[in-house]
Amino acid sequence: MEPLGEGRPLLTLQDLESRLVFTRCKPFILAAPGRQWIFGGDLSRVEGRSVKPYWTLLFSDILLFAKVSRDRVLFITEEPLQLGNITDSCFNIRKKRNFEIILSTFDRAIH
């Protein structure tokens, strides 16, 4: 559930927030009241012919994409996606694992 690396486990939102570095987006508070960290893992984002690997964090209200350094610093390059903007999702494991999210405010899919 957390990025691989050495050191103390990231157990709380505050632990996770201490590892965030905002590179191309406006900083935000991760430890918001009521927000819970549900899952973290590798996910590839497909836009057209471009495939970009991310370490993705699913919270109770947002989806966050990060690039992870060797010392588990999480570089955040874009604003979090509000789960309320997701209009459809599909999971398929026939030939390969495929999870698609369709957003209401964008014409792009995340796999």
Side-chain angles (χ1 to χ4, degrees):
M1 186 160 127
E2 67 178 68
L4 297 175
E6 298 296 321
R8 186 170 67 89
L10 304 174
L11 300 176
T12 67
L13 283 180
Q14 289 80 11
D15 293 339
L16 194 59
E17 193 164 47
S18 70
R19 298 252 175 210
L20 297 183
V21 173
F22 299 92
T23 57
R24 285 183 263 165
C25 69
K26 188 170 85 174
F28 58 89
I29 302 298
L30 188 60
R35 179 172 292 154
Q36 295 179 4
W37 183 13
I38 298 171
F39 182 77
D42 293 318
L43 191 72
S44 294
R45 185 174 180 159
V46 177
E47 292 185 20
R49 293 183 177 186
S50 173
V51 178
K52 298 177 183 175
Y54 286 95
W55 197 72
T56 308
L57 300 110
L58 174 63
F59 296 93
S60 53
D61 61 335
I62 62 172
L63 188 62
L64 187 61
F65 297 96
K67 295 286 187 175
V68 181
S69 70
R70 289 183 188 171
D71 54 352
R72 296 188 313 165
V73 172
L74 302 171
F75 293 96
I76 309 301
T77 60
E78 57 190 79
E79 300 293 326
L81 296 175
Q82 298 293 323
L83 295 185
N85 289 342
I86 296 174
T87 59
D88 196 14
S89 64
C90 175
F91 183 72
N92 181 344
I93 57 170
R94 288 185 195 148
K95 293 183 181 179
K96 62 178 184 174
R97 291 182 186 169
N98 184 17
F99 180 72
E100 184 173 342
I101 298 172
I102 300 171
L103 305 172
S104 62
T105 56
F106 303 101
D107 289 332
R108 63 182 179 188
I110 302 163
H111 302 272

